[in-house]
Amino acid sequence: MSTTAPTGTGRPGQSRWLSKTAVNGALLLASLYMLFPLVWLVTAATKDAGGLLGGDAFSFEGFDLGGNLSRLADYGDGIYFRWYLNSLLYAGGGALVCSFVCVAAGYAFETYDFRGKEKLFGVVLMGVLVPGTALALPMYLLATETGLVNTYWAVLVPVLVNPFGVYLSRVFCAGYIPGEALEAARIDGAGELRTFFSVGLPMVMPGLVTVFLFQFTAIWNNFFLPLVMLSDQRLFPLSLGLYAWNSNAHAEPGFYPLVVTGSLLAVVPLVVAFVSLQRHWKAGLTAGSVK
């Protein structure tokens, strides 16, 4: 009696290969989709107004990036780079203070037991559900009463606290800070502030970096709050300043190269922040997802 080989030989390996191909293909398409605007921005920043309006933005013909940068620096006595410094102040300073406040609040919620702790934390979580646009008018009225409208503080103060950052910090503290380490510090005679700064804060540093990056990106891209609070162009962040230029570009086509080149430079701090803090950011996300 003769036997025949099974017809299904090799199918599991073939199915696995097809699955990997499909996944890699989907990832490649997603990467191209996300990189497409950045590629356009890089090539378009080398064009003058005629090249942009001519629709040939993806070629490097007529390369004039140096001229665009020079015109960007000269226009309005260098107002663009004043906007750049304003954005660094708003995003860098605001995100640094906010991340520290969030980590301190998360540490307190996780470490200490006090009356009404979970109810208060529930109020913090409710703050996550409230969109920032809904708070713009109340914050403007408060800023008007306190005389902060059209000042740096009008943009800085509202971004110093982030409810989602407090929630995320509590999750990080629960995963990174063992109670035994805090108890050992207290036994050695360290006070609560010394315990936080010497033991708790170094342990939760990946979480602080993660909150910092989230908040830095949110403030850097913030548009509506400065639009409501500011009318002095010298206080504008990049987002609002480029919007004002783009609004004028319909009447003055010469603004188009300035807007595109300025937008390209505006991406640089975000890339630098994510690349330089990538190791801490990845570690923080991993710990948060496991917890």
Side-chain angles (χ1 to χ4, degrees), residues 115-138:
R115 186 176 180 180
K117 179 177 77 170
E118 296 304 328
K119 293 182 179 179
L120 182 59
F121 189 67
V123 174
V124 173
L125 293 181
M126 289 178 61
V128 179
L129 305 177
V130 181
T133 52
L135 299 176
L137 180 58

Side-chain angles (χ1 to χ4, degrees), residues 203-244:
M203 287 183 174
V204 80
M205 190 59 66
L208 186 145
V209 171
T210 303
V211 175
F212 173 83
L213 286 176
F214 283 155
Q215 190 69 358
F216 182 87
T217 304
I219 302 173
W220 187 268
N221 296 324
N222 194 5
F223 170 77
F224 192 69
L225 181 63
L227 178 65
V228 172
M229 295 291 188
L230 303 177
S231 59
D232 186 355
Q233 285 198 359
R234 294 174 299 175
L235 304 178
F236 282 5
L238 279 175
S239 57
L240 190 55
L242 291 175
Y243 170 78

